Amino acid sequence: MDAKVKIDKSRLPSRHVTEGPERAPHRSYLYAMGLTDEEVHQPLVGVATCWNEAAPCNISLMRQAQAVKQGVAATGGTPREFTTITVTDGIAMGHEGMKSSLVSREVIADSVELTMRGHCYDALVGLAGCDKSLPGMMMAMCRLNVPSVFIYGGSILPGVFRGKPVTVQDVFEAVGKYSVGAMSAEDLNELEHVACPSAGSCGAQFTANTMATVAEAIGLALPYSCGAPAPYEMRDQLCYAAGEAVMHLLADNIRPRDIVTREALENAAAVVAASGGSTNAALHLPAIAHECGIDFDIFDVGRIFERTPYIADLKPGGKYVAKDMFEAGGIPLLMKTLLEEGYLHGDCLTVTGRTIAENLAKVRWNDEQDVVRPASDPISPTGGVKVLRGNLAPDGAIVKVAGMSHLKFRGPARCFDTEEECFEAVTNRRYNEGDVLVIRYEGPKGGPGMREMLATTAALYGQGMGDKVALITDGRFSGATRGFCVGHVSPEAAVGGPIGLIRDGDIITLDAVAGTIEVELSDEELERRRKEWKPREENFGSGALWKYAQLVGSARYGAVTHPGAKAEKRQYADI
């Protein structure tokens, strides 16, 4: 146990709440909750969790928060626990609930900011589980710029179905099998009962585990803390250590923007590519950069993807899950081989107070595993995710190529203006082999909320058509998606982007080698159609989704809703 650190509160935000005779009414509220004089006059540390009963991703966060609070208290801080929302993609998927998913990222960041500002907390430990809660929490840390440590709640354990390991991805794909008679109702029922056997986030390298890998690589999480599965008892030790660490960051005045530099963002993009991570990282990394005032868009992410080898054999493109990588050596093992081969910036600062290179100095290669390959002997020489650009997506699009055998596709467009229309067509096999299915008006503004399309893509795979058709959208894809599925097509249809101008039968060419996405139409024809195009009526006239649609920007820059650190007048941490 660390000794308590002594910190002068005269320049900390909490002095506005706890110091001086005029704050007697404020202190009376703190005494009402059982705080002592000593605790009132110590630094106040926000311990924010995304705990709820929506899904297994979040269910263990409340317990883990108690260990964080013990670590804070043991090191001279006064922890103040609070919660924020999550929207769980696995449950929101395939219906209008998914419109709330990306919006929740902004609500999480905003609500953590408001709680911290309103109560003048001096530092932050954030615990997250579901997909958007991870970037949302990291965005709040960078926005507030108070000393902060990120904690991932941990991944779920794999299920077992008739002797084979399974994840929720298998259940989504089983729906497609059932629709074509390749799986019985009894088998589907058995599978759904065993696929998710514990607390924790989806077990493969889907969005949650991808962003957890990012958290360690970017320097906001302690080494090994994002790899340990949720049920493992060692998570309490890691959470306790995070509570201690945030107090040392506060004493040394090390802040998130000291850690999240352009080089750190490049490190984060590199681990996404190396692990065959979710395409959603290309949306979340620019958003985190935006909170730091750093220009880092989808094309900056793509440049790192193109030069980074794909080395972790993880589902959905590979055969292992997060638990396997942790037991093989964890995220530090992945990072160590990337560092040794020159793919990481080793001098980036982290929440340990040491650099990436210093954190990894004692990590040794594990020859007894095949989850992670050496960066000198990769699965493929370039990353598992590719950014595309062309006349169909001037501001970029993205495809996950990890595990794909065919990297080029050409076929006629089959256009749908909602995910539901496309899913119905797929379910009833109203499409042809060789088609390019186009789902539009599902972007950040047009959806609103940029829905993920896992239900549709999983159904295609379950029907055995995953590599026989392609799918493009101005919406998003789940980290569990596989096949030639291109998301984040930008500009989106709702603002007159080219994806809104194409028609059934137009020939679309996708090339994940050259990085292009083209519709075989002349510039003159596209311009003629653009003049004929009229904006659609908004889907929502009030509420949070309406508000989001008014504020949200392009997916190229992270689909953010405010001007970011560049327009900041003063930092909260310095009030």
Side-chain angles (χ1 to χ4, degrees):
M1 182 182 296
D2 283 350
K4 291 187 176 182
V5 296
K6 296 296 182 182
I7 298 172
D8 179 11
K9 283 190 66 167
S10 64
R11 298 184 64 85
L12 296 183
S14 65
R15 73 186 187 279
H16 298 296
V17 171
T18 65
E19 306 309 305
E22 68 276 13
R23 301 307 180 205
H26 305 65
R27 291 191 294 271
S28 70
Y29 281 126
L30 301 178
Y31 294 136
M33 292 181 283
L35 269 64
T36 65
D37 282 339
E38 181 183 24
E39 289 170 331
V40 165
H41 295 291
Q42 291 178 158
L44 303 184
V45 178
V47 178
T49 82
C50 300
W51 177 87
N52 62 30
E53 293 182 331
C57 325
N58 314 304
I59 201 69
S60 70
L61 295 178
M62 181 186 291
R63 176 184 64 79
Q64 294 188 42
Q66 309 318 306
V68 172
K69 290 162 66 177
Q70 291 172 3
V72 170
T75 321
T78 301
R80 309 312 299 149
E81 183 180 356
F82 64 94
T83 61
T84 184
I85 71 158
T86 48
V87 172
T88 298
D89 287 9
I91 290 178
M93 196 76 68
H95 54 88
E96 281 214 353
M98 181 49 72
K99 291 180 183 288
S100 301
S101 172
L102 186 59
V103 181
S104 75
R105 185 191 73 178
E106 313 309 304
V107 174
I108 290 163
D110 292 351
S111 62
V112 172
E113 176 196 358
L114 293 174
T115 300
M116 294 286 291
R117 283 184 179 276
H119 304 103
C120 293
Y121 295 156
D122 302 314
L124 173 63
V125 180
L127 297 89
C130 282
D131 295 4
K132 307 308 170 294
S133 62
L134 283 80
M137 195 65 74
M138 287 185 267
M139 288 163 65
M141 291 173 175
C142 294
R143 184 185 304 178
L144 293 160
N145 206 29
V146 294
S148 302
V149 177
F150 176 83
I151 286 283
Y152 179 44
S155 68
I156 199 170
L157 298 177
V160 178
F161 178 66
R162 299 181 181 174
K164 294 183 178 180
V166 291
T167 70
V168 72
Q169 173 192 351
D170 296 280
V171 187
F172 274 100
E173 292 181 4
V175 174
K177 292 179 181 179
Y178 174 76
S179 73
V180 294
M183 176 175 272
S184 69
E186 292 75 19
D187 288 352
L188 179 60
N189 179 68
E190 181 182 341
L191 174 61
E192 70 183 70
H193 276 82
V194 299
C196 300
S198 75
S201 301
C202 297
Q205 200 69 349
F206 308 154
T207 303
N209 280 326
T210 296
M211 294 309 297
T213 308
V214 160
E216 283 196 32
I218 211 168
L220 289 175
L222 294 175
Y224 298 101
S225 66
C226 289
Y232 283 18
E233 287 299 317
M234 70 181 301
R235 291 220 56 83
D236 286 352
Q237 298 171 342
L238 294 165
C239 290
Y240 187 99
E244 294 178 315
V246 79
M247 292 304 299
H248 289 286
L249 293 172
L250 189 58
D252 295 335
N253 196 29
I254 297 174
R255 302 180 179 186
R257 293 184 201 172
D258 299 323
I259 292 168
V260 182
T261 61
R262 184 178 184 85
E263 291 73 23
L265 288 158
E266 291 179 352
N267 286 348
V271 300
V272 174
S275 64
S278 169
T279 55
N280 283 306
L283 191 72
H284 300 321
L285 289 176
I288 292 169
H290 182 71
E291 301 290 355
C292 298
I294 299 170
D295 292 325
F296 195 74
D297 69 7
I298 191 172
F299 296 113
D300 295 305
V301 176
R303 279 189 281 275
I304 305 303
F305 287 171
E306 288 175 4
R307 74 184 193 209
T308 308
Y310 168 41
I311 60 174
D313 192 10
L314 297 170
K315 288 178 179 286
K319 60 182 178 180
Y320 293 110
V321 295
K323 167 185 173 289
D324 301 318
M325 187 162 82
F326 178 70
E327 292 175 350
I331 297 166
L333 183 74
L334 176 78
M335 292 174 63
K336 181 63 178 278
T337 186
L338 290 173
L339 179 66
E340 289 179 339
E341 296 299 325
Y343 296 106
L344 293 185
H345 302 284
D347 56 352
C348 290
L349 186 64
T350 74
V351 291
T352 64
R354 299 183 295 274
T355 66
I356 290 284
E358 289 169 336
N359 287 347
L360 298 176
K362 294 183 179 179
V363 175
R364 296 291 177 263
W365 184 252
N366 177 6
D367 285 322
E368 303 301 317
Q369 57 84 36
D370 63 350
V371 182
V372 180
R373 299 265 291 270
S376 58
D377 181 28
I379 298 168
S380 65
T382 57
V385 183
K386 182 84 173 183
V387 173
L388 310 180
R389 192 175 202 171
N391 70 347
L392 189 47
D395 282 346
I398 195 158
V399 61
K400 187 171 187 174
V401 297
M404 281 174 52
S405 55
H406 303 292
L407 300 180
K408 298 181 181 181
F409 200 100
R410 181 179 181 271
R414 180 80 186 280
C415 299
F416 304 91
D417 287 350
T418 66
E419 181 194 7
E420 285 84 358
E421 290 177 16
C422 187
F423 183 69
E424 182 184 5
V426 168
T427 301
N428 294 297
R429 293 297 297 269
R430 294 199 305 270
Y431 65 93
N432 298 313
E433 183 175 332
D435 281 350
V436 178
L437 307 181
V438 179
I439 305 177
R440 58 197 180 184
Y441 294 100
E442 291 285 9
K445 182 178 179 67
M450 205 179 182
R451 284 195 286 181
E452 292 181 353
M453 310 295 167
L454 177 60
T456 302
T457 59
L460 285 168
Y461 238 90
Q463 292 175 355
M465 298 294 286
D467 59 353
K468 296 180 176 62
V469 298
L471 195 155
I472 70 170
T473 180
D474 53 7
R476 297 179 295 123
F477 289 114
S478 165
T481 294
R482 52 180 175 161
F484 213 133
C485 299
V486 180
H488 301 204
V489 172
S490 185
E492 61 175 296
V495 299
I499 191 173
L501 308 179
I502 57 178
R503 299 170 182 169
D504 285 350
D506 289 343
I507 301 300
I508 294 172
T509 303
L510 308 171
D511 189 333
V513 178
T516 57
I517 175 171
E518 301 278 345
V519 58
E520 295 180 10
L521 297 172
S522 67
D523 293 344
E524 292 76 18
E525 175 62 15
L526 281 170
E527 184 57 32
R528 186 184 69 78
R529 294 187 187 184
R530 186 172 288 108
K531 289 177 180 177
E532 296 175 353
W533 176 84
K534 290 182 175 57
R536 289 161 52 107
E537 184 177 345
E538 291 183 346
N539 291 330
F540 290 82
S542 64
L545 295 180
W546 174 87
K547 186 188 301 182
Y548 180 83
Q550 311 313 305
L551 295 172
V552 71
S554 169
R556 173 177 177 174
Y557 303 105
V560 295
T561 57
H562 71 107
K566 282 191 172 182
E568 195 173 61
K569 303 300 182 184
R570 61 173 180 165
Q571 290 185 26
Y572 163 74
D574 295 326
I575 63 170

